[in-house]
């Protein structure tokens, strides 16, 4: 009995950690739309998590469409988000990111799909320990996946904020250099004007 339970735990862990999450990093050009699709059985819970890493005002539009072309969600000009759905029918679900609002700037979007386990047929199982272990493993997997995504998003935010700080510092340095040039030019101009003024007075 101990051997079978141990094998069950190992198998469940492998299934949960290897199949549950798909992560992507995509570039979406201006006026473009990129769609991704996933086959999901009916009754399965699935989530999409996304973050705009760079580009423009860090905004993107998201649309989730079901197999029957029913629009499950539409969000416009969002920087990040996490949305969870339950598949109402079997089929291919589409996840579309649109950068139509941008005229020139492409966007870099990081997103991941979390697909839950498909509902199982009603099968009587006399080993209640297996059900309890499976529930605990699923909860553990969900928690670890959430932590992993939070770490990834923190890294993306840190990279974005660093880029903004570097850009701001560069602009401040350039503006200070420009002000210095203007100040030097004004000083030289005043010296030249005063020199000419006294030279004219001396001639008169």
């Amino acid at each position: 009995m101990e051997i079978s339970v141990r094998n069950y735990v190992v198998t469940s862990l492998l299934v949960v950690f290897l199949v549950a999450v798909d992560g992507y990093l995509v570039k979406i050009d201006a006026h473009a739309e990129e769609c991704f699709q996933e086959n999901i059985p009916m009754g399965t819970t699935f989530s999409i998590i996304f973050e705009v890493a760079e580009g423009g005002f860090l905004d993107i539009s998201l649309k989730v469409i079901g197999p029957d072309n029913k629009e499950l969600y539409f969000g416009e000009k969002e920087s990040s988000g996490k949305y969870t759905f339950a598949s109402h029918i079997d089929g291919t679900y589409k996840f579309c990111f649109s950068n139509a609002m941008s005229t020139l700037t492409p966007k870099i979007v990081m997103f991941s799909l979390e697909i839950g386990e498909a509902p199982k047929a009603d099968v009587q199982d006399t080993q209640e320990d297996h059900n309890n272990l499976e529930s605990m493993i699923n909860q553990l997997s969900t928690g670890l996946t959430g932590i992993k995504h939070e770490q990834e998003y923190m890294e993306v935010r840190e990279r974005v904020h660093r880029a903004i700080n570097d850009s701001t510092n560069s602009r401040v340095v350039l503006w200070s250099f420009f002000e210095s040039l203007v100040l030097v030019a004004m000083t030289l101009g005043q010296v030249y004007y005063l020199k000419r003024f006294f030279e004219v007075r001396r001639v008169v």
Side-chain angles (χ1 to χ4, degrees):
M1 181 66 179
E2 293 180 356
I3 296 177
S4 61
V5 171
R6 188 181 300 114
N7 291 337
Y8 179 81
V9 172
V10 172
T11 303
S12 299
L13 282 171
L14 289 174
V15 170
V16 168
F17 286 107
L18 293 179
V19 183
V21 180
D22 291 323
Y24 307 92
L25 186 67
V26 296
K27 177 182 179 182
I28 304 175
D29 295 325
H31 296 295
E33 182 180 71
E34 296 289 342
C35 292
F36 304 86
Q37 57 187 23
E38 188 77 23
N39 290 320
I40 303 176
M42 183 177 63
T44 302
T45 301
F46 60 97
S47 301
I48 181 170
I49 307 173
F50 72 95
E51 176 97 14
V52 182
E54 61 180 79
F57 295 101
L58 301 178
D59 56 348
I60 203 76
S61 296
L62 170 66
K63 182 163 53 177
V64 181
I65 305 174
D68 53 355
N69 290 326
K70 179 181 178 181
E71 190 175 282
L72 303 180
Y73 176 79
F74 176 74
E76 191 173 9
K77 296 183 179 181
E78 297 181 329
S79 297
S80 62
K82 177 179 180 179
Y83 304 102
T84 302
F85 309 90
S87 55
H88 55 287
I89 57 174
D90 293 338
T92 301
Y93 289 77
K94 292 183 179 180
F95 308 88
C96 298
F97 293 97
S98 174
N99 193 23
M101 80 288 292
S102 179
T103 55
L104 297 173
T105 309
K107 307 288 176 62
I108 303 296
V109 180
M110 181 182 72
F111 73 97
S112 61
L113 296 175
E114 298 180 7
I115 311 298
E117 291 187 356
K120 299 179 180 179
D122 295 333
V123 178
Q124 293 184 354
D125 188 1
T126 57
Q127 298 178 347
E128 296 182 358
D129 292 340
H130 288 186
N131 295 332
N132 294 333
L133 286 172
E134 183 177 4
S135 176
M136 294 173 61
I137 291 171
N138 289 334
Q139 293 177 4
L140 177 62
S141 172
T142 302
L144 292 177
T145 301
I147 294 174
K148 177 176 178 292
H149 287 312
E150 289 297 329
Q151 290 177 341
E152 292 175 350
Y153 293 150
M154 291 299 294
E155 291 177 358
V156 171
R157 290 191 183 99
E158 191 272 336
R159 186 165 64 248
V160 170
H161 293 164
R162 190 192 316 126
I164 293 174
N165 290 335
D166 292 342
S167 176
T168 303
N169 291 335
S170 299
R171 293 178 181 178
V172 170
V173 171
L174 291 175
W175 180 252
S176 300
F177 181 71
F178 175 74
E179 287 183 333
S180 300
L181 290 178
V182 172
L183 183 61
V184 171
M186 291 179 63
T187 303
L188 293 176
Q190 290 177 352
V191 171
Y192 177 77
Y193 174 78
L194 291 175
K195 182 179 179 181
R196 292 284 298 175
F197 176 78
F198 285 112
E199 287 178 353
V200 171
R201 291 290 298 273
R202 189 181 307 161
V203 172
V204 174

